[in-house]
């Protein structure tokens, strides 16, 4: 009886590929979840693609890994915001820089190189129901933020008791649809991950997976800085090394008028549909 069971198991294992290689692509809802001090955050769309490998130790069970590139995005909107702080102009004179920001919009994207470490369970013959669960190690790749807004800037000089409002060559005046791009500063993280769906088997070891996935970031990916050392959203330059102007920083890496960070932590998450083309050997 034992010999018969071993023979049946071996014959089934031979019919099942020990090694399975795949290419996949997917997309759906993505989130860089955070709670800004002002304004409103909204989620974006996720997309990812990659290569996978499964080693089956039994017809119904295997270890899955691979590599993939995933994109997580969000959008931040703020109708109106005023800031003022002391700065120094290109002549070395102190003044109060004032900025009235309106219609501020910022697009944020985090690009991750992910390595899944998961278990796969499947059941069925011609088509199989499958479930994958485990973790993904995610390494942050170079990223950037882009923003657009309207600005009304001025400089108040206390000794002169005068506010300059039209000198655009030193950053004062009205600037409409001012666009900026900044480097993102994200850390690596670990995702708890799950995927489930149907595996359609064809001849010559070819299979197509159709399923849904859910990735949940377990750690904060925002690199920490002392809030007092963070720049303002609208940052004035004195022009000693650059022409006199103002720069626009990301809300993820700047502070408000109370010297508090606009955002304290960012948690990534994604859910969507995945299609996978697999070849068993």
């Amino acid at each position: 009886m034992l010999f018969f069971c071993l023979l049946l198991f071996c014959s089934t294992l031979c019919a099942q590929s020990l090694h399975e290689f795949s290419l996949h692509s997917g997309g759906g809802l993505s989130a860089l979840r955070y709670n800004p001090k002002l304004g409103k955050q909204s989620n974006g769309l996720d997309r990812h693609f990659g290569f996978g490998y499964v080693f089956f130790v039994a017809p119904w069970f295997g270890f899955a890994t691979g590599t993939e590139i995933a994109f997580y995005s969000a959008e931040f909107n703020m109708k109106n915001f005023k800031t003022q702080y002391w700065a120094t102009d290109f002549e070395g004179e102190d003044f109060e820089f004032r900025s009235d920001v309106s219609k501020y919009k910022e697009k944020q994207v985090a690009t991750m190189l992910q390595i899944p470490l998961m278990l796969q369970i499947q059941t069925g013959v011609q088509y199989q129901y499958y479930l994958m669960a485990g973790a993904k190690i995610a390494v942050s790749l170079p990223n950037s933020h882009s923003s657009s807004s309207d600005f009304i800037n001025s400089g108040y000089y206390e000794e002169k008791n005068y506010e300059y409002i039209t000198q655009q060559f030193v950053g004062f005046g009205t600037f409409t649809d001012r666009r900026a791009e900044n480097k993102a500063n994200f850390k690596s993280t670990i995702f708890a991950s799950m995927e489930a769906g149907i595996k359609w088997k064809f001849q010559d070891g070819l299979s197509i997976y159709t399923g849904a996935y859910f990735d949940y970031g377990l750690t904060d990916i925002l690199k920490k800085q002392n809030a007092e050392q963070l720049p303002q959203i609208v940052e004035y330059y004195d022009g000693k090394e650059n022409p006199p102007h103002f720069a626009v920083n990301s809300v993820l890496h700047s502070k408000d008028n109370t010297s508090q960070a606009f955002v304290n932590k960012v948690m990534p998450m994604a859910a969507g549909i995945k299609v996978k083309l697999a070849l068993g050997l």
Side-chain angles (χ1 to χ4, degrees):
M1 182 65 180
L2 179 62
F3 175 77
F4 176 77
C5 292
L6 290 174
L7 183 62
L8 179 61
F9 175 79
C10 290
S11 62
T12 306
L13 188 60
C14 290
Q16 165 68 42
S17 302
L18 290 176
H19 308 278
E20 186 177 79
F21 301 89
S22 64
L23 295 173
H24 66 263
S25 179
L29 175 69
S30 79
L32 293 173
R33 297 178 296 119
Y34 59 87
N35 293 315
K37 294 289 181 66
L38 297 171
K40 184 180 180 181
Q41 176 265 359
S42 57
N43 299 327
L45 296 177
D46 162 56
R47 62 191 188 280
H48 69 265
F49 58 90
F51 165 81
Y53 168 72
V54 183
F55 175 71
F56 287 98
V57 296
W60 55 273
F61 177 76
F63 298 97
T65 186
T67 183
E68 61 186 22
I69 300 293
F71 303 89
Y72 303 86
S73 62
E75 188 173 282
F76 172 82
N77 290 273
M78 183 167 54
K79 291 183 178 180
N80 187 267
F81 172 73
K82 292 184 178 182
T83 184
Q84 57 188 49
Y85 56 90
W86 288 97
T88 304
D89 65 18
F90 63 98
E91 293 181 341
E93 192 171 355
D94 293 336
F95 71 99
E96 187 178 63
F97 180 72
R98 300 172 177 176
S99 183
D100 187 350
V101 185
S102 60
K103 296 187 293 185
Y104 186 90
K105 179 182 294 186
E106 182 175 318
K107 177 70 179 294
Q108 300 140 357
V109 177
T111 306
M112 297 282 187
L113 173 65
Q114 300 183 161
I115 301 174
L117 300 172
M118 306 177 73
L119 302 178
Q120 178 168 326
I121 300 173
Q122 59 189 30
T123 180
V125 183
Q126 185 60 36
Y127 66 90
Q128 300 176 313
Y129 296 101
Y130 76 95
L131 172 67
M132 299 177 67
K136 291 182 180 179
I137 300 172
V139 179
S140 179
L141 300 178
N143 296 282
S144 64
H145 306 314
S146 59
S147 65
S148 64
S149 185
D150 296 343
F151 300 89
I152 300 177
N153 298 337
S154 64
Y156 174 72
Y157 288 76
E158 188 175 41
E159 292 185 0
K160 301 175 183 179
N161 192 26
Y162 188 81
E163 184 176 9
Y164 293 89
I165 59 175
T166 61
Q167 293 74 13
Q168 291 197 1
F169 67 96
V170 291
F172 305 149
T174 300
F175 304 84
T176 58
D177 197 24
R178 177 70 178 256
R179 298 179 181 273
E181 187 165 324
N182 302 285
K183 291 183 179 179
N185 205 10
F186 291 130
K187 298 186 296 185
S188 300
T189 188
I190 296 177
F191 287 91
S193 184
M194 181 177 293
E195 181 182 335
I198 299 178
K199 176 181 179 180
W200 309 89
K201 299 181 69 175
F202 301 96
Q203 295 181 348
D204 301 324
L206 185 65
S207 301
I208 293 179
Y209 288 75
T210 55
Y213 66 91
F214 178 70
D215 296 330
Y216 187 85
L218 300 178
T219 61
D220 177 15
I221 64 172
L222 187 63
K223 288 191 175 181
K224 297 303 180 185
Q225 281 185 272
N226 187 318
E228 294 184 355
Q229 296 177 346
L230 289 171
Q232 298 280 343
I233 289 184
V234 188
E235 184 179 14
Y236 183 82
Y237 282 84
D238 60 17
K240 293 178 180 179
E241 298 180 358
N242 300 290
H245 68 289
F246 67 97
V248 183
N249 297 301
S250 169
V251 294
L252 298 183
H253 308 296
S254 59
K255 61 185 177 182
D256 61 16
N257 284 331
T258 63
S259 295
Q260 299 293 318
F262 258 93
V263 175
N264 290 318
K265 66 178 181 179
V266 176
M267 306 289 287
M269 183 185 73
I273 303 299
K274 178 183 289 187
V275 177
K276 186 187 311 182
L277 178 64
L279 179 64
L281 300 177

